[in-house]
Amino acid sequence: SGSAPNLSCTSNLTPNGGFETDGTPPGWPAGWGKKKPDDHLSWLDEAGDHFMRLTTDPGKTVMLYHMFPLPTGTTALDITIRYRVTGLKPGPAKTDDARAVLHFLAGRRFGHLEYGHQYEPDPANIVFDQTDGTWHETHVRCTVPAGATKLQFMPALWNTVAGTLDLSEIHVAPQKTP
């Protein structure tokens, strides 16, 4: 999405990571849940490129959520995200900003909820710290703890006062130690 990002990973666990494919019913990207009223999420098109927009709901967290099952034997993940932050005014806490929080889990799914044991250490948060309103790309590599079977991925505006977070590409590539 956007001008071709420099994605160095060769496989992608992210379904519709560029937000280009319309879902069923139409009007929301395939693989990204369902649109809810007043969730402050929008699926937008800019010059033919689709992206997700998270818009501040003052004092609340506005989140795009995804659970990634990890292939057996995955020892690390390479994560690349193309993002744009505009008009950000952080909330009072140090972590009240634009960031993705990640947790490793193992367990089962019951209905719409993920249950399971959280595995430590958590990967570092991915902070979307370029807030000049232009597209940027960030890349992180994290080690998968032994026993983890899922990655909980939550990019969000965490209790911000104002601002938008746009996500145009999310690429999560599993790595295995030979």
Side-chain angles (χ1 to χ4, degrees):
S1 188
S3 57
N6 180 21
L7 300 176
S8 59
C9 308
T10 57
S11 63
N12 191 359
L13 297 177
T14 314
N16 195 20
F19 305 104
E20 295 300 331
T21 305
D22 202 353
T24 304
W28 195 250
W32 289 95
K34 295 181 180 176
K35 172 81 173 128
K36 298 175 193 145
D38 298 325
D39 62 7
H40 296 267
L41 300 173
S42 305
W43 184 41
L44 302 172
D45 180 303
E46 187 174 87
D49 296 317
H50 289 90
F51 62 95
M52 293 299 298
R53 173 165 287 166
L54 291 72
T55 305
T56 292
D57 186 358
K60 296 181 181 173
T61 297
V62 177
M63 179 187 312
L64 187 62
Y65 177 90
H66 208 312
M67 182 69 71
F68 295 96
L70 302 176
T72 302
T74 300
T75 58
L77 295 173
D78 285 322
I79 302 171
T80 304
I81 303 170
R82 188 163 181 264
Y83 73 94
R84 173 175 63 191
V85 177
T86 306
L88 184 68
K89 291 185 182 171
K94 182 179 179 183
T95 56
D96 290 348
D97 57 13
R99 65 178 58 220
V101 173
L102 306 109
H103 299 295
F104 286 112
L105 300 174
R108 300 184 355 189
R109 182 179 178 98
F110 296 97
H112 70 284
L113 297 174
E114 293 290 341
Y115 289 89
H117 173 72
Q118 188 169 328
Y119 277 78
E120 301 290 337
D122 275 335
N125 291 337
I126 300 169
V127 179
F128 304 114
D129 57 359
Q130 301 294 319
T131 60
D132 59 8
T134 62
W135 289 105
H136 295 276
E137 188 175 288
T138 188
H139 176 84
V140 296
R141 183 179 183 103
C142 54
T143 301
V144 175
T149 59
K150 300 178 261 193
L151 173 70
Q152 191 177 40
F153 178 78
M154 299 165 283
L157 291 169
W158 298 91
N159 305 312
T160 56
V161 175
T164 62
L165 168 62
D166 296 334
L167 302 165
S168 76
E169 186 75 32
I170 299 171
H171 193 99
V172 178
Q175 306 298 314
K176 296 181 181 185
T177 303

